[in-house]
Amino acid sequence: MEPQTKTLIDLDAHPDASENSFNRSWTGNALRLIRTESARSGTTPLLRFPVFAESGIDVFLKDESLHPTGSLKHRLARSLFVHALCNGDIGPNTPVIEASSGSTAVSEAYFSQLIGVPFFAVVPRATSKEKVELIEQFGGQCHQADDPLRVVSEAKQLADEIGGHFMDQFTFASQTTNWRADNVADEIFHQIRSEASPVPRWVVVGAGTGGTSTTIARYLRYKGIDSRLAVVDPEGSAFYDAWRLQDRSVTTSTSSRIEGIGRAKVEPSFFPQLVDEMIQVPDAASIATMRWVSARLGRMVGPSTGTNMWGVLKLAQKMHESSEIGSVVSLICDTGIRYASTYYNDSWLQDQGIDILPFTAALESFTTTGQLIVD
Ligand SMILES: *Cc1c(COP(=O)(O)O)cnc(C)c1O
């Protein structure tokens, strides 16, 4: 038997080794580009949102809209790329494919461009022109699927046909994110440690892939932090019933109208057993609250941020009623600039049959009474 050599120095004796070492140095460089991008981007700010201060309840919002690609999916895309590179799934010319019409495709297009590989997003045909343009702005290409239910299978098929790598955000969101350190929860607890209530009573997030809620839940357990995790869920999503019944097989026949959150089935990265409380939020409440938050911040946030804040207000009201003091933390998930022609457009709302007025009124009276009452 020939002794196995561990070095790749004798290239003639090992015809594959030169390509191998080339790929290694390419991969090393791609990972370095991602590390330097991360160092440039830094952490996102934790904003104090003054709404309950007099009652002894502090609300904090981690502003994930300030990532270079405008949403919390920047973190997910970075983790997926690091994982795929270290796994040898992406090499110098490997096309990267994702099934997404939203923020994930935008962020993945950005990282593909950063390391110099082609990117393809398989999107439903109904995807708006604005979103396709956003993906194209970072050098990505969109393939339209006629049947919205076949977006994932068409993405897999495309990856097979062109020898690409299917990223599969819904499967890998909870697997590629480091839940022990170096994640959104770690940043939050670092940033809040000098506040009056450094251990929030609640952390409130929505679930799309479920990756964010799972990462936070695991982090809380791992670090032994006594905060509770609440997940807000839009109308028609399967996550709420899956949690209530502790049954992953729950499905719904409707699709979510709140971009980024709510799914018709329980995605592999969502773990109902890790969630302490779930709150179902009407779509009109999410949109009314989105506008309410934007008016208070002086800049536009996306609709899932409205869903988060509605949940925050509900929990804070309960805390207030039982004379609890403390803090509640949530996220600004993405910028609202993307939604000027939809959620911020009154005639679009009318076409969708969404009436936000009762919720807008409830938010206005909340500011004076501390009660969130919908007539
Ligand atoms: C993906 C997404 C979420 C939910 O995050 P997950 O980690 O996928 O559960 C919330 N808001 C927006 C805008 C998103 O794109």
Side-chain angles (χ1 to χ4, degrees), residues 280-300:
Q280 240 179 348
V281 180
D283 294 346
S286 294
I287 298 163
T289 315
M290 169 197 84
R291 293 185 179 193
W292 185 79
V293 171
S294 298
R296 263 149 198 81
L297 279 180
R299 90 194 130 82
M300 286 156 85

Side-chain angles (χ1 to χ4, degrees), residues 6 34 42 48 108 128 143 169 184 193 253 301 307 334:
K6 279 198 176 130
I34 295 176
R48 196 154 176 273
E108 287 176 347
S128 73
H143 277 237
Q169 57 165 336
V184 66
R193 73 192 187 289
S253 55
V301 300
T307 318
D334 68 352

Side-chain angles (χ1 to χ4, degrees), residues 142-342:
C142 292
H143 277 237
Q144 295 184 326
D146 289 321
D147 179 357
L149 296 175
R150 286 194 32 87
V151 168
V152 168
S153 56
E154 290 203 14
K156 280 183 187 155
Q157 199 185 328
L158 177 64
D160 281 346
E161 278 167 20
I162 63 175
H165 175 62
F166 175 44
M167 279 295 217
D168 197 358
Q169 57 165 336
F170 289 103
T171 300
F172 287 105
S174 64
Q175 297 182 32
T176 59
T177 303
N178 178 355
W179 45 267
R180 295 178 194 82
D182 197 19
N183 56 45
V184 66
D186 203 28
E187 284 183 24
I188 289 170
F189 285 93
H190 196 74
Q191 287 170 310
I192 203 175
R193 73 192 187 289
S194 312
E195 299 289 341
S197 308
V199 180
R201 181 76 185 85
W202 291 102
V203 180
V204 183
V205 297
T209 64
T212 304
S213 63
T214 299
T215 297
I216 292 171
R218 288 170 173 165
Y219 182 89
L220 293 175
R221 280 169 178 72
Y222 180 65
K223 293 278 182 179
I225 297 170
D226 202 23
S227 302
R228 298 283 173 267
L229 173 69
V231 170
V232 287
D233 205 34
E235 283 170 28
S237 168
F239 291 135
Y240 178 79
D241 277 339
W243 173 78
R244 200 171 53 82
L245 306 167
Q246 290 294 308
D247 176 2
R248 296 193 67 99
S249 70
V250 171
T251 58
T252 59
S253 55
T254 47
S255 63
S256 167
R257 291 193 294 185
I258 303 299
E259 181 97 25
I261 58 169
R263 301 287 296 171
K265 67 181 178 66
V266 179
E267 298 294 346
S269 291
F270 180 73
F271 292 85
Q273 70 270 29
L274 296 179
V275 177
D276 297 300
E277 181 72 49
M278 279 196 76
I279 302 167
Q280 240 179 348
V281 180
D283 294 346
S286 294
I287 298 163
T289 315
M290 169 197 84
R291 293 185 179 193
W292 185 79
V293 171
S294 298
R296 263 149 198 81
L297 279 180
R299 90 194 130 82
M300 286 156 85
V301 300
S304 68
T305 303
T307 318
N308 283 350
M309 183 53 83
W310 185 263
V312 167
L313 298 181
K314 285 268 181 196
L315 291 167
Q317 186 185 332
K318 268 196 200 158
M319 285 173 68
H320 189 49
E321 281 162 8
S322 53
S323 305
E324 259 186 89
I325 58 167
S327 56
V328 182
V329 176
S330 191
L331 306 177
I332 295 175
C333 299
D334 68 352
T335 163
I337 296 166
R338 302 179 173 175
Y339 310 109
S341 66
T342 53

